[in-house]
Amino acid sequence: MKRKDYISWDEYFMGIALLSAKRSKDPSTQVGACIVNQYNKIVGIGYNGFPIGCDDDQLPWSKSSDNANETKYPYVVHAEANAILNSTKDLHGARIYVALFPCNECTKLLIQSGIREIIYLSDKYKDTDSVKASKKMLDMAGVTYRQLVLEDKNIVIDFTVDS
């Protein structure tokens, strides 16, 4: 008889997005993204961080400053953008799993890349102009989005291997 306590596809792919977020060096916000095609195959993953070749000890991680260039915002590549850039296949018809609802800049990339569904955990910035613009564009482009509501909030990864 097969196991009955296995995780769903949504839990699996969101788990991979959250595990990817653990690679982020951002001290305040760690976001990961996982892009999946119609066959439930992962075709791209990413997390938020500075561009390749940009020393993360030389650029700022702060959220605020009188000088915008002394904050992380002009430099950080978002998880969704990295997942698109790291993709291995055509993304038309794919879906993306991400912890936070995408900003307007990432939304433009998601739409242009052909992603048709966004599954997210948190919409904590829903009242911002950025997210309002995102939802307007997604609705116009016919891209669906839904919040993933999980019954089990924890999945434990144990790196011990039975020998």
Side-chain angles (χ1 to χ4, degrees):
M1 183 175 250
K2 74 177 181 182
R3 252 180 71 221
K4 295 194 187 288
D5 62 342
Y6 59 90
I7 60 176
S8 69
W9 284 118
D10 281 345
E11 291 167 325
Y12 177 66
F13 296 127
M14 188 61 76
I16 290 171
L18 295 176
L19 186 61
S20 296
K22 296 293 186 188
R23 284 285 310 142
S24 175
K25 296 174 184 172
D26 189 322
S28 59
T29 307
Q30 301 83 45
V31 179
C34 179
I35 302 174
V36 181
N37 70 14
Q38 65 269 29
Y39 304 109
N40 287 325
K41 304 292 183 200
I42 296 170
V43 294
I45 56 173
Y47 56 89
N48 60 311
F50 295 141
I52 295 169
C54 294
D55 188 339
D56 50 34
D57 290 321
Q58 302 296 314
L59 292 173
W61 286 109
S62 63
K63 292 172 68 171
S64 62
S65 174
D66 291 335
N67 179 347
N69 284 342
E70 293 176 2
T71 70
K72 65 182 179 176
Y73 299 110
Y75 309 106
V76 169
V77 181
H78 287 186
E80 300 94 328
N82 272 324
I84 290 168
L85 292 167
N86 292 333
S87 65
T88 59
K89 305 267 184 204
D90 178 20
L91 301 181
H92 283 80
R95 61 191 190 276
I96 188 168
Y97 291 81
V98 64
L100 291 175
F101 197 92
C103 71
N104 62 303
E105 293 300 320
C106 288
T107 294
K108 291 185 270 188
L109 298 174
L110 295 171
I111 293 169
Q112 289 296 91
S113 69
I115 290 174
R116 302 304 302 158
E117 184 177 20
I118 299 165
I119 301 96
Y120 63 94
L121 285 178
S122 173
D123 197 7
K124 71 178 181 177
Y125 299 113
K126 67 180 176 226
D127 295 324
T128 65
D129 289 338
S130 173
V131 170
K132 288 177 184 177
S134 293
K135 290 179 180 176
K136 183 175 185 174
M137 288 186 285
L138 292 168
D139 292 341
M140 290 175 78
V143 176
T144 61
Y145 49 92
R146 62 183 166 92
Q147 187 168 27
L148 182 59
V149 179
L150 300 169
E151 289 182 30
D152 188 2
K153 303 282 187 201
N154 293 301
I155 296 175
V156 176
I157 298 175
D158 183 351
F159 286 101
T160 306
V161 180
D162 295 333
S163 16

